[in-house]
Amino acid sequence: MSATNPSEAQLEAVLQAALYLLGARQDQMLTIEEWTGLARAVAACQERKTAEYLTDHDLEDIAERYGLEWDEATDGALPSLDEE
């Protein structure tokens, strides 16, 4: 599958993530879960890693505070929490 020719499922994932994000914006809430969902959908279409579309601050929050499912093989590496 080529990044220039996304599948119907990939396009549907991007559309759903965008719709959730727009709905969240209307409700004045943008959560890390919503940003991660959008980043995952775009990354899948681009054949890249989710982490490439999130900020360093987002990745630190995911590693430290959020119980999001995270697969380093598809999502990319999270920052190490051992730095103290």
Side-chain angles (χ1 to χ4, degrees):
M1 177 175 325
S2 169
T4 59
N5 190 16
S7 72
E8 187 174 330
Q10 289 173 319
L11 292 172
E12 182 63 30
V14 171
L15 176 60
Q16 284 302 313
L19 288 171
Y20 290 139
L21 184 61
L22 289 171
R25 179 68 180 137
Q26 288 175 330
D27 293 337
Q28 299 297 315
M29 21 178 250
L30 294 173
T31 67
I32 192 67
E33 290 86 357
E34 291 159 337
W35 283 118
T36 301
L38 182 59
R40 281 185 174 141
V42 172
C45 288
Q46 298 280 311
E47 296 179 357
R48 297 177 72 179
K49 304 285 185 194
T50 304
E52 296 177 53
Y53 295 99
L54 296 171
T55 66
D56 290 341
H57 180 73
D58 290 338
L59 295 172
E60 290 167 6
D61 280 351
I62 291 167
E64 292 175 7
R65 292 188 265 279
Y66 293 96
L68 290 176
E69 286 186 30
W70 193 264
D71 179 6
E72 288 197 3
T74 56
D75 291 325
L78 287 173
S80 174
L81 299 177
D82 297 335
E83 300 170 12
E84 293 185 35

